[in-house]
Amino acid sequence: MRAASMGLVLLPLLAGRMALAQAVPAQSAPAVEDFKPASSNQGGKEYPQVNSERRARFRIVAPQAQSVKVPEWGGVALTKGEDGAWIGTTRPLDEGFHYYRINIDGAEVPDPGSKPYFGAGRWGSAIEIPAQDEEFYAVKDVPHGQVRRTLYFSKSTNATRRCFVYTPPDYDKDATRRYPVLYLQHGAFEDETGWGDQGRANLILDNLIAGGKSRPFLIVMDNGGNNFGVGPRRGAPPAPGGAAGGGGRPRFDFSAFAKIMTEELIPYIDANFRTLADQPHRAMAGLSMGGAQTRQITLANLDKFSHIGLFSGGSIAATDPALADPSAFKQKVKVLFVSYGSRENTAAAKANHEALEKLGIKNTYYESPNTAHEWQTWRRSLHQFAPLVFQG
Amino acid sequence: MRAASMGLVLLPLLAGRMALAQAVPAQSAPAVEDFKPASSNQGGKEYPQVNSERRARFRIVAPQAQSVKVPEWGGVALTKGEDGAWIGTTRPLDEGFHYYRINIDGAEVPDPGSKPYFGAGRWGSAIEIPAQDEEFYAVKDVPHGQVRRTLYFSKSTNATRRCFVYTPPDYDKDATRRYPVLYLQHGAFEDETGWGDQGRANLILDNLIAGGKSRPFLIVMDNGGNNFGVGPRRGAPPAPGGAAGGGGRPRFDFSAFAKIMTEELIPYIDANFRTLADQPHRAMAGLSMGGAQTRQITLANLDKFSHIGLFSGGSIAATDPALADPSAFKQKVKVLFVSYGSRENTAAAKANHEALEKLGIKNTYYESPNTAHEWQTWRRSLHQFAPLVFQG
């Protein structure tokens, strides 16, 4: 159990990296020639393209370049045509959304064909591979909520911070109605734009609500920072949340963000939006590092959170101090949801799921088919998680 | 007068281009070595930098490249250092915000140091040069409004469209209060993100409202498209709005956008936000092409708009058919505001300003000091325009 728990703590360290390192050599059999511009492209841009096999094809105009490549997917070497444009094609990729870069003669730059997305620590390129289940995050002619860019002042950091708040479609229709809130966190090397851009959290909720499958709620997406480390800081006090800190074990230091969230962000949201401002109506979830933050912040603040979602971001062992009194835990935590992509290491999460069930703690384990540590796993996770929450 | 009017119609064609072509050779005297990272950079990126002379310095790591340059400002050639990084410095630039590109061995790509901004027809790079008056658009610890990403369905185009709606700081405090609305348009080769990102419309209003200098109002920022042309389309009906169409004179065809704005966007906003949904409380303004759209759409719809702002986007000649009955025009149009940068061709706008005054039509002409056809002119224009509107 201890070993399983450690593995889960380590995994989120790789957030935004594993998706960049599915190390299978590119190009083997010839590609099916039915390529179309990717939906993640800038308007009017013909490249990159995707075909029916889920291969991506890149084209970069660089007449004087010596070498053009895409470092992702084991490295995709582009070859130069007579028109001065370099072209290269990947092996079939996972369904969903993938970050990538272009390397031109040693310069790592965004692809001018892609819209910009924040991930892997920079505003860069990404490609959307069509998925069999893409309807759940498609833009449809249903009532839409808003994504509100919101600025608030943080005393602890003496700075104006930005978050995005999704308000469901009917939020402005009835000025007396109040809503539950989900605090939803991005991964390492990502930021507060992730869930509203590539994560499509707003569209997922719009579609679920239109289909009567989810209760309307607010989603708050803030910046969880990237200030994590491995091992205890010298002279540092034990991390809040306990389980992941101390003793030379891998740990994250989320104390600054935990303070912002519990002492500044939640009060700001409750004062400025029509929330149901109590523990039964407050959830937190996150992907990868955001899952580790969720685990640490919720378990240390069970007076504030009743619903917990960990997406590729660890799970909770039966030996966790937070479960010392299982019936107290059960009374506070209404939904505990853990998910992974089927191509991730899922053994510990499954073992923990079963151990918790034996302990009498009902919890949900979801596995996204044929995906790894990547956004399609997390879109699907939100799509599974949202209908479960705030049903009490 | 006819000649003046024509010149003004031509000018907006150059939107997003003139800023890219201030053709003065780069680098002459040595630069003052007090460079700091630009505020438009991605978090943690050291380059590009700006010094106290308003020079920009670029640095691109491209060890195997043969040539690296910045095509803007007459062309800035970067030179390679022993570390494989290419560096180049511009002449002193205008205060404010400037788009630019990097050319690496013939490939035109974004600078990985810059945040992405949409302009010049693509998501690309830009650099913010500190301005003496930058306080009016700075992030301050004042009450902030929200910028709401809003999706709505457009029947005429059978598509879900996106706009951004700025709601002032107190919008959610009193659910009975209603607000005037400014429809605010970007320029050619820009989109609905321009005013809320590089334009800082939200911060300009937040600061004006905090200082008691502007009445709170909503700002709606939609995508005006880029489908304009010169000369009449073959077989096309006369353009709505009249003055700029027909007769082989330069013209813009904004009819599709005019239809969206008047028949779809305004009704959507009035149905979904707490607006004062009448002519006295509705304004339209725009920059460059957006000014030409404003001119055409407002003059053809004076039953819908009472406040008009043209920022580097033409002016209204005394001979304009819309002024055939000056007293009728005066009764409908409460504010007519025209602005240019001092480095633009301002002769026609000044002449038209005076001709209208002689006609008894009070109107405001504003000139942004030491700026050209660029965002600093338009930020300042909004800052001047906002306090004038909705004072009736």
Side-chain angles (χ1 to χ4, degrees):
Chain A
M1 230 18 111
R2 173 59 58 100
S5 174
M6 279 184 64
L8 293 167
V9 171
L10 269 169
L11 260 180
L13 273 171
L14 306 172
R17 292 294 175 194
M18 284 179 64
L20 301 179
Q22 300 165 34
V24 178
Q27 291 144 299
S28 43
V32 175
E33 288 300 330
D34 56 358
F35 286 88
K36 289 177 192 157
S39 64
S40 42
N41 287 5
Q42 298 188 29
K45 297 284 187 180
E46 284 294 307
Y47 284 86
Q49 298 190 336
V50 186
N51 79 350
S52 57
E53 299 170 289
R54 304 190 313 276
R55 293 179 194 264
R57 175 169 286 171
F58 304 99
R59 179 177 185 274
I60 301 292
V61 176
Q64 286 88 50
Q66 309 301 302
S67 154
V68 178
K69 55 193 171 186
V70 173
E72 280 70 42
W73 305 295
V76 182
L78 278 59
T79 53
K80 190 178 173 182
E82 288 181 8
D83 58 355
W86 296 70
I87 287 196
T89 306
T90 69
R91 62 168 174 83
L93 304 178
D94 284 356
E95 295 184 342
F97 177 94
H98 310 286
Y99 300 118
Y100 71 95
R101 300 156 286 175
I102 303 288
N103 187 302
I104 303 175
D105 286 345
E108 292 210 334
V109 292
D111 182 341
S114 166
K115 277 185 202 157
Y117 300 92
F118 195 85
R122 40 64 173 154
W123 282 99
S125 306
I127 189 162
E128 184 73 47
I129 306 294
Q132 290 180 24
D133 56 350
E134 66 190 8
E135 282 296 305
F136 81 80
Y137 52 88
V139 177
K140 297 184 182 178
D141 183 15
V142 298
H144 293 289
Q146 297 168 352
V147 178
R148 304 185 180 187
R149 199 165 87 200
T150 302
L151 300 177
Y152 69 100
F153 188 75
S154 155
K155 264 193 183 172
S156 71
T157 56
N158 192 33
T160 297
R161 290 175 57 87
R162 181 176 75 166
C163 66
F164 291 93
V165 181
Y166 167 80
T167 55
D170 282 346
Y171 185 81
D172 282 330
K173 299 285 183 206
D174 176 358
T176 63
R177 187 170 171 189
R178 293 184 164 271
Y179 293 82
V181 185
L182 165 63
Y183 291 82
L184 185 61
Q185 289 305 123
H186 58 83
F189 309 108
E190 296 178 333
D191 74 5
E192 69 274 23
T193 63
W195 272 110
D197 287 356
Q198 56 266 42
R200 304 204 181 196
N202 55 325
L203 299 173
I204 293 170
L205 263 288
D206 287 348
N207 291 335
L208 282 171
I209 293 167
K213 290 174 187 158
S214 176
R215 179 173 171 179
F217 54 85
L218 303 185
I219 305 178
V220 177
M221 297 160 277
D222 202 335
N223 190 324
N226 288 302
N227 49 344
F228 60 93
V230 177
R233 285 178 303 173
R234 282 181 204 178
R249 293 168 53 197
R251 59 182 289 285
F252 299 92
D253 181 6
F254 302 134
S255 54
F257 179 61
K259 187 178 174 72
I260 290 169
M261 167 156 289
T262 57
E263 296 178 20
E264 298 175 343
L265 179 62
I266 291 175
Y268 179 86
I269 295 297
D270 285 339
N272 289 278
F273 291 84
R274 298 194 317 278
T275 64
L276 292 161
D278 55 12
Q279 191 265 6
H281 298 97
R282 194 177 296 122
M284 184 172 178
L287 71 90
S288 195
M289 180 188 80
Q293 291 175 325
T294 298
R295 183 176 177 280
Q296 195 175 102
I297 293 172
T298 57
L299 295 187
N301 295 279
L302 287 181
D303 58 322
K304 292 189 174 64
F305 297 95
S306 51
H307 297 72
I308 303 172
L310 313 179
F311 308 162
S312 303
S315 53
I316 299 176
T319 55
D320 194 290
L323 302 186
D325 179 350
S327 68
F329 184 87
K330 276 168 67 176
Q331 204 169 6
K332 287 178 180 166
V333 178
K334 297 307 170 195
V335 169
L336 172 57
F337 177 97
V338 169
S339 67
Y340 275 95
S342 66
R343 293 178 182 160
E344 299 189 85
N345 184 343
T346 62
K350 284 175 184 163
N352 282 338
H353 165 66
E354 281 164 29
L356 262 58
E357 291 284 334
K358 275 185 196 157
L359 214 61
I361 296 174
K362 200 170 167 298
N363 67 109
T364 303
Y365 175 71
Y366 166 73
E367 203 165 286
S368 163
N370 303 315
T371 61
H373 200 72
E374 58 199 8
W375 274 100
Q376 193 69 3
T377 302
W378 307 322
R379 291 170 175 166
R380 287 174 178 164
S381 295
L382 177 60
H383 184 239
Q384 297 290 324
F385 180 64
L388 303 179
V389 299
F390 309 127
Q391 296 300 316
Chain B
M1 233 13 113
R2 172 61 58 100
S5 174
M6 278 184 66
L8 293 168
V9 171
L10 270 168
L11 261 180
L13 273 171
L14 306 172
R17 293 294 174 194
M18 284 179 65
L20 300 179
Q22 300 165 33
V24 178
Q27 290 143 300
S28 42
V32 175
E33 289 300 328
D34 56 359
F35 286 89
K36 290 176 191 156
S39 63
S40 41
N41 288 6
Q42 298 188 28
K45 296 285 185 178
E46 283 295 308
Y47 284 86
Q49 298 190 337
V50 185
N51 80 350
S52 57
E53 301 169 287
R54 305 189 314 275
R55 291 179 196 263
R57 177 168 285 171
F58 304 97
R59 181 179 184 272
I60 301 292
V61 176
Q64 285 90 50
Q66 308 301 303
S67 156
V68 179
K69 55 193 170 184
V70 172
E72 279 70 42
W73 306 295
V76 183
L78 278 60
T79 53
K80 191 177 172 180
E82 288 181 8
D83 59 355
W86 297 69
I87 286 198
T89 306
T90 69
R91 62 169 173 81
L93 304 178
D94 286 355
E95 296 185 342
F97 177 94
H98 310 285
Y99 300 117
Y100 71 96
R101 300 156 284 175
I102 303 288
N103 186 304
I104 304 174
D105 287 345
E108 293 210 334
V109 293
D111 183 341
S114 166
K115 279 184 201 157
Y117 300 92
F118 195 86
R122 41 63 176 154
W123 282 100
S125 305
I127 188 160
E128 184 74 45
I129 307 294
Q132 291 180 24
D133 56 349
E134 66 190 8
E135 281 297 304
F136 81 78
Y137 52 88
V139 177
K140 296 185 181 177
D141 184 14
V142 297
H144 292 290
Q146 298 168 351
V147 178
R148 304 185 180 187
R149 199 165 87 200
T150 302
L151 300 176
Y152 69 100
F153 188 76
S154 155
K155 263 194 182 170
S156 71
T157 56
N158 192 33
T160 297
R161 288 176 59 86
R162 181 177 74 167
C163 66
F164 291 92
V165 180
Y166 168 79
T167 55
D170 282 346
Y171 185 81
D172 281 331
K173 298 286 183 207
D174 175 358
T176 64
R177 187 170 171 191
R178 293 184 164 269
Y179 294 82
V181 186
L182 165 63
Y183 291 82
L184 185 61
Q185 289 304 124
H186 59 84
F189 308 109
E190 295 177 335
D191 74 5
E192 69 274 23
T193 64
W195 272 110
D197 287 357
Q198 56 265 45
R200 304 204 182 196
N202 55 324
L203 299 174
I204 293 170
L205 263 287
D206 288 347
N207 291 335
L208 282 172
I209 293 167
K213 289 173 188 159
S214 176
R215 178 174 172 180
F217 54 85
L218 304 185
I219 304 179
V220 178
M221 298 160 276
D222 202 335
N223 189 324
N226 288 302
N227 47 345
F228 60 92
V230 178
R233 286 179 303 175
R234 283 182 203 177
R249 292 168 56 198
R251 60 182 289 285
F252 299 94
D253 181 5
F254 301 135
S255 54
F257 179 61
K259 187 180 175 70
I260 289 168
M261 167 154 293
T262 57
E263 297 178 17
E264 298 175 342
L265 179 61
I266 290 176
Y268 179 86
I269 296 297
D270 285 339
N272 289 278
F273 291 84
R274 295 194 319 277
T275 65
L276 292 162
D278 54 13
Q279 191 266 4
H281 298 96
R282 194 177 295 123
M284 185 173 177
L287 72 90
S288 194
M289 180 188 79
Q293 292 176 324
T294 298
R295 183 176 176 281
Q296 194 175 102
I297 292 172
T298 56
L299 295 187
N301 296 279
L302 288 181
D303 59 322
K304 294 190 172 64
F305 297 96
S306 51
H307 297 71
I308 303 173
L310 313 180
F311 308 162
S312 304
S315 53
I316 299 176
T319 54
D320 194 290
L323 302 186
D325 179 350
S327 68
F329 184 86
K330 277 169 66 175
Q331 204 168 6
K332 287 176 180 166
V333 178
K334 298 306 170 195
V335 169
L336 172 57
F337 177 98
V338 170
S339 66
Y340 275 95
S342 67
R343 293 178 183 161
E344 299 189 87
N345 183 345
T346 63
K350 283 175 185 164
N352 283 337
H353 166 65
E354 282 163 29
L356 261 58
E357 290 285 335
K358 276 187 196 157
L359 213 60
I361 296 175
K362 199 168 169 297
N363 67 109
T364 303
Y365 175 72
Y366 166 73
E367 203 165 287
S368 163
N370 303 316
T371 60
H373 199 73
E374 57 199 7
W375 274 99
Q376 194 69 2
T377 302
W378 307 323
R379 290 169 176 167
R380 287 174 178 163
S381 296
L382 178 61
H383 185 238
Q384 296 291 324
F385 180 65
L388 304 179
V389 300
F390 309 128
Q391 296 299 316

